[in-house]
Amino acid sequence: MAAKSHEEEHDNKAFGWAARDQSGVLSPFQFSRRVTGEKDVAFKVLFCGICHSDLHMAKNEWGISTYPLVPGHEIVGQVTEVGSKVDKFKVGDKVGVGGLVGSCHSCDSCSNNLENYCPEMILTYSAKYHDGTITYGGYSDIMVADEHFIVRIPENLPLDAAAPLLCAGITVYSPLRFFDLDKPGMHVGVVGLGGLGHVAVKFAKAMGVKVTVISTSPSKKQEALDHLGADSFLVSRDQDGMQAAVGTMDGIIDTVSATHPISPLIGLLKTRGKLVLVGAPEKPLELPVFPLLMGGKVVGGSGGGGLKETQEMIDFAARNNITADIEVISMDYVNTAMERLLKGDVRYRFVIDIGNTLKI
């Protein structure tokens, strides 16, 4: 029997933009979504953030992409239909979907609300769902997901600027909480002032933490201090400045995805301080062990967050008026946006206006 086309795989017609090969170039794509199951929530996609991982995946730079590939895991919109056994959401609710649409629900990670570490987690796009079909992301007109993986967006958060919180937001919020770097009066460094870093500064400040931004770019100083409210700014190439800050920080959230030296960062930590990596460099970083031993210091990692914590993060953002700084773009601008993203030419997150600009 011939395999069904992407358009005929399910009963709900859908439309989006997809990459067809490793060029990563996106173009219009007709496909289909599953019928809303008894525990499913269907929603009209209104906005979708562009994460750097969308660029990696579109070009298969991590070797795990399945084509055609519809990117997008910072997805927000309005509920259009709920399954008969859905009890948390109703038609008209503002909702979102982040990086996950499935997990096993039975492993230790799932039992502890850490679905993001489930060995069988199902990514929002370019993964295989429970029914064997491929998942498609938010660069599309409609979304269907199990209610467990749906996040409620509070009324006071603007949907466009809230979208990046579903990836960038939880990626920095989770380690601040887990590594106990959220206590008022603590001193936390944030390395890199991009899509993740700028949100990290906002969350840490809202938690009452003293924040130092650490960057290779002196030009970002005014932005960090005046616009984002950081307490101080360090240029990582300024040896005198770095030396003066040695041993002053309780923790550091390192958002940089490029290969970079971490020895100077370890030096900034107090005794028993924690360096947490949330960026994903393509090559291994060099880890100096001696400074760890001499200071009882910790180097850790953190990857996203579970659904319970993601909802907690969104609610915290709503209470503290935290949103991402965004540039809203039309769907047909997406390939140009990807080129700009590659050059770091965005302040700080592109968000696609799906609802108004996605045209068949």
Side-chain angles (χ1 to χ4, degrees):
M1 195 170 82
K4 289 186 176 182
S5 71
H6 306 293
E7 210 170 341
E8 297 170 335
E9 200 167 40
H10 299 293
D11 288 341
N12 280 343
K13 294 286 185 283
F15 176 69
W17 279 47
R20 306 314 206 280
D21 54 42
Q22 292 187 8
S23 70
V25 174
L26 297 153
S27 58
F29 175 56
Q30 304 270 3
F31 65 110
S32 56
R33 299 274 191 198
R34 68 176 183 270
V35 170
T36 309
E38 60 184 20
K39 293 289 286 179
D40 283 339
V41 173
F43 65 93
K44 174 181 171 59
V45 178
L46 297 176
F47 296 96
C48 186
I50 298 180
C51 176
H52 212 286
S53 58
D54 295 343
L55 183 58
H56 288 303
M57 288 291 288
K59 296 187 172 189
N60 196 25
E61 289 175 351
W62 292 333
I64 59 171
S65 301
T66 300
Y67 297 104
L69 183 147
V70 177
H73 60 211
E74 299 177 344
I75 316 164
V76 294
Q78 193 161 25
V79 175
T80 54
E81 186 181 12
V82 297
S84 58
K85 293 188 178 177
V86 169
D87 52 21
K88 293 194 291 186
F89 301 97
K90 65 182 187 306
V91 171
D93 285 350
K94 293 177 180 176
V95 296
V97 166
L100 305 177
V101 292
S103 67
C104 77
H105 297 292
S106 59
C107 67
D108 280 351
S109 292
C110 285
S111 299
N112 288 294
N113 298 303
L114 294 169
E115 300 90 348
N116 52 311
Y117 297 126
C118 172
E120 296 177 31
M121 70 170 176
I122 301 171
L123 298 176
T124 300
Y125 65 86
S126 197
K128 193 166 281 190
Y129 200 65
H130 298 300
D131 63 5
T133 59
I134 300 301
T135 58
Y136 296 114
Y139 296 14
S140 59
D141 57 353
I142 58 172
M143 190 74 195
V144 180
D146 184 293
E147 75 165 332
H148 182 82
F149 296 91
I150 299 279
V151 176
R152 180 184 301 281
I153 309 294
E155 281 296 323
N156 68 311
L157 280 182
L159 287 181
D160 54 358
L165 299 181
L166 292 167
C167 174
I170 187 60
T171 297
V172 296
Y173 178 91
S174 184
L176 284 168
R177 288 288 197 220
F178 178 76
F179 290 96
D180 293 320
L181 299 175
D182 58 347
K183 307 295 184 286
M186 285 188 137
H187 184 187
V188 171
V190 173
V191 186
L193 199 60
L196 295 177
H198 90 285
V199 179
V201 173
K202 293 184 180 189
F203 275 120
K205 286 301 295 178
M207 292 167 179
V209 172
K210 178 184 176 184
V211 178
T212 295
V213 170
I214 304 160
S215 173
T216 56
S217 307
S219 60
K220 292 187 176 180
K221 180 175 182 177
Q222 187 175 0
E223 174 81 5
L225 301 180
D226 298 344
H227 176 64
L228 296 172
D231 298 281
S232 54
F233 185 88
L234 272 178
V235 178
S236 55
R237 296 191 177 107
D238 174 8
Q239 293 187 350
D240 290 342
M242 291 289 283
Q243 185 61 40
V246 163
T248 63
M249 298 180 192
D250 297 284
I252 295 173
I253 304 294
D254 185 347
T255 71
V256 175
S257 290
T259 304
H260 61 291
I262 60 172
S263 184
L265 302 178
I266 293 170
L268 298 177
L269 295 171
K270 295 178 182 176
T271 299
R272 295 209 158 167
K274 301 157 186 172
L275 169 62
V276 188
L277 307 172
V278 296
E282 291 175 22
K283 295 178 181 176
L285 302 179
E286 189 173 304
L287 179 65
V289 175
F290 200 64
L292 300 182
L293 302 181
M294 297 306 291
K297 299 175 184 180
V298 172
V299 176
S302 184
L307 272 298
K308 182 180 178 183
E309 190 173 44
T310 301
Q311 186 66 63
E312 176 191 304
M313 176 275 303
I314 283 283
D315 293 341
F316 180 89
R319 288 195 304 274
N320 292 278
N321 295 312
I322 295 171
T323 54
D325 289 16
I326 60 171
E327 180 178 333
V328 178
I329 63 167
S330 62
M331 188 71 244
D332 59 9
Y333 187 77
V334 68
N335 288 308
T336 303
M338 289 290 193
E339 291 171 10
R340 285 179 54 193
L341 181 60
L342 191 59
K343 295 184 286 192
D345 176 25
V346 57
R347 198 176 139 247
Y348 285 96
R349 205 67 153 186
F350 286 117
V351 173
I352 308 168
D353 183 350
I354 300 287
N356 290 313
T357 69
L358 181 64
K359 305 283 192 261
I360 292 181

